[in-house]
């Protein structure tokens, strides 16, 4: 959530949420080639099988990704980050993070048969063997291993449609993990799991940095002066929760360099599109005459909006059938990221225009 003396907060990032193949080709031709291998449904099964058994880990994983998209699964996380974007095969055996969308044909009653169908197709079309599917605690995650030549036993971890514990706003840690491939998207299009106020191509540009790929934290962190982190190599990043401390340590070990996200990068600010849930009559008044600054709130007086559409809808739900959601382009100005409430609004004393919480 956020507050500003103008209209502020994170909900939908500035610019397009996806990057097209043409845009990405202009950045890196090899990346465009990998994206085509991973997403083009016109590639024949025989060609996919040839790549699977080539002994090249990257080609094998790209071919497997292509087949998983044909199953209707969303592919995200480390495989997109490393194999697709960076063209890098880590020393450790990869796992593939997947989501089965809510509009899919999979239900709790046909879960076993659908999983068996996927495994049979992997065997028939690609010559791959796999282990028996296992449900995770709570019955909302499905896992099984696929033996991929050149890559090893690759674990497929699938978030099932009825999983209510996986919330991107709470689970997303770094910009580099926010990219995803979706079935039905144009060939080579990179999308994002959650709006983090960065364009997809900005995340790609971070990942293509040398000698170390860059990543921006998205939550539960604090920057302090001194150290080797940050865009100017003069800050230190630390987590404010045990979980985020662990994630930061893990990605340091992977060789990532942490940099500030664009929306906290300086006094120039960033123009973004933001959302506000209210009544239909208030929405009409806002459109006609602009927002009225509140007299108070968790971050003091100002205009409140949210990056989390669940929160926006909760506020709109107060008005039942008379509800509305307003969106608008916002120049955030100088931004501060808060670690807690400040109802006095004293955060403005530092010359900030917008506070994110």
């Amino acid at each position: 959530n956020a507050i500003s003396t103008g209209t502020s907060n994170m909900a939908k990032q500035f610019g397009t949420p996806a990057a097209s193949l043409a845009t990405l080709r202009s950045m890196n031709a090899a990346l465009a080639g990998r994206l085509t291998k991973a997403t083009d449904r016109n590639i024949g099964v025989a060609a996919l099988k040839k790549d699977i058994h080539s002994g090249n880990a990257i080609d094998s994983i790209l071919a497997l990704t292509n087949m998983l998209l044909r199953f209707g699964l969303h592919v995200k996380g480390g495989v997109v980050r490393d194999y697709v974007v960076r063209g890098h095969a880590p020393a450790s055996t990869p796992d593939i993070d997947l989501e089965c969308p809510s509009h899919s044909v999979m239900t709790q009653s046909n879960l076993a048969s659908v999983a068996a169908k996927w495994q049979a197709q992997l065997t028939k079309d690609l010559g791959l063997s796999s282990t028996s599917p296992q449900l995770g605690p709570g019955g909302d995650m499905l896992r099984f291993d696929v033996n991929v030549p050149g890559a090893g036993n690759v674990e497929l971890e699938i978030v099932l449609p009825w999983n209510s514990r996986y919330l991107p706003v709470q689970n997303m840690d770094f910009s580099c993990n926010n990219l995803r491939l979706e079935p039905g998207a144009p060939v080579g299009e990179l999308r994002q799991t959650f709006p983090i106020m960065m364009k997809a191509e900005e995340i790609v540009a971070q990942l293509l940095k040398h000698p170390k790929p860059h990543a921006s934290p998205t939550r539960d962190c604090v920057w302090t002066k001194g150290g080797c982190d940050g865009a100017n190599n003069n800050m230190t990043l630390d987590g404010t929760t045990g979980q985020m401390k662990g994630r930061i340590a893990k990605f340091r070990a992977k060789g990532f360099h942490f940099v500030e996200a664009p929306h906290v990068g300086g006094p120039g600010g960033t123009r973004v599109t933001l959302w506000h849930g209210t009544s239909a009559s208030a929405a009409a008044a806002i459109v006609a005459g602009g927002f009225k600054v509140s007299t108070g709130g968790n971050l003091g007086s100002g205009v409140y909006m949210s990056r989390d559409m669940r929160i926006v809808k909760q506020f709109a739900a107060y008005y039942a059938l008379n509800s509305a959601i307003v969106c608008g382009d916002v120049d955030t100005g100088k931004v501060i990221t808060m670690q807690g409430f400040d109802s006095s609004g004293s955060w403005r004393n530092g010359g900030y225009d917008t506070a994110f919480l």
Side-chain angles (χ1 to χ4, degrees):
N1 308 318
I3 178 178
S4 171
T5 51
T7 48
S8 60
N9 217 305
M10 303 159 68
K12 172 187 175 187
Q13 79 260 17
F14 169 67
T16 57
S20 69
L21 182 61
T23 296
L24 296 167
R25 181 179 289 113
S26 69
M27 297 175 66
N28 188 289
L31 163 60
R34 292 191 295 272
L35 275 166
T36 300
K37 282 189 172 186
T39 62
D40 190 350
R41 294 177 66 94
N42 291 321
I43 296 175
V45 170
L48 293 180
K49 186 174 183 179
K50 180 179 179 181
D51 279 346
I52 284 280
H53 295 276
S54 67
N56 181 294
I58 293 176
D59 284 344
S60 296
I61 294 299
L62 295 179
L64 177 58
T65 297
N66 191 300
M67 182 61 74
L68 295 171
L69 288 169
R70 298 182 192 202
F71 291 166
L73 297 170
H74 294 202
V75 184
K76 57 182 183 145
V79 160
V80 179
R81 178 192 70 224
D82 294 326
Y83 288 81
V84 177
V85 176
R86 297 177 61 205
H88 171 70
S92 58
T93 302
D95 54 60
I96 301 182
D97 295 323
L98 303 159
E99 287 180 21
C100 188
S102 58
H103 61 266
S104 72
V105 296
M106 177 174 278
T107 65
Q108 288 173 295
S109 60
N110 71 5
L111 170 63
S113 62
V114 171
K117 180 180 177 181
W118 290 340
Q119 290 184 293
Q121 193 164 345
L122 289 173
T123 300
K124 175 178 176 291
D125 292 343
L126 302 182
L128 298 176
S129 60
S130 54
T131 60
S132 299
Q134 301 291 325
L135 279 175
D140 50 15
M141 299 283 291
L142 181 70
R143 298 179 176 89
F144 60 90
D145 291 350
V146 178
N147 187 265
V148 180
N153 288 320
V154 177
E155 182 185 57
L156 306 187
E157 186 176 84
I158 307 167
V159 177
L160 299 173
W162 48 90
N163 189 321
S164 59
R165 297 180 298 120
Y166 175 72
L167 302 171
V169 67
Q170 296 177 5
N171 293 78
M172 190 55 59
D173 47 13
F174 302 109
S175 57
C176 63
N177 292 328
N178 202 42
L179 298 173
R180 66 196 285 124
L181 301 172
E182 296 183 2
V187 172
E189 183 175 88
L190 270 177
R191 295 181 175 179
Q192 297 193 57
T193 294
F194 178 72
I196 59 171
M197 293 176 65
M198 290 180 66
K199 299 178 184 179
E201 55 264 38
E202 289 176 327
I203 300 175
V204 169
Q206 286 187 335
L207 286 169
L208 295 179
K209 291 284 187 181
H210 292 289
K212 290 185 175 183
H214 289 189
S216 298
T218 62
R219 61 177 175 89
D220 300 340
C221 67
V222 61
W223 294 92
T224 55
K225 292 182 179 180
C228 299
D229 295 329
N232 296 317
N233 303 310
N234 62 353
M235 303 289 285
T236 295
L237 175 69
D238 194 13
T240 58
T241 64
Q243 182 188 50
M244 196 61 176
K245 285 178 182 290
R247 298 294 293 173
I248 290 171
K250 179 178 180 179
F251 274 76
R252 281 195 200 283
K254 286 178 178 284
F256 279 78
H257 177 67
F258 299 116
V259 295
E260 304 87 343
H263 74 276
V264 297
T270 303
R271 176 161 288 203
V272 294
T273 303
L274 306 172
W275 306 88
H276 178 82
T278 186
S279 67
S281 57
I286 291 169
V287 171
F291 282 96
K292 291 183 178 179
V293 176
S294 71
T295 57
N298 290 331
L299 294 174
S301 62
V303 175
Y304 286 78
M305 302 177 77
S306 178
R307 66 177 179 176
D308 187 346
M309 190 53 71
R310 295 171 307 151
I311 294 175
V312 175
K313 289 180 178 179
Q314 285 173 6
F315 278 93
Y318 293 147
Y319 304 97
L321 297 179
N322 189 40
S323 64
I325 293 175
V326 178
C327 71
D329 289 338
V330 179
D331 186 350
T332 58
K334 187 177 179 181
V335 178
I336 182 173
T337 299
M338 305 292 291
Q339 304 301 325
F341 295 150
D342 177 12
S343 59
S344 70
S346 63
W347 54 269
R348 290 193 180 88
N349 296 338
Y352 295 101
D353 304 298
T354 299
F356 288 89
L357 179 62

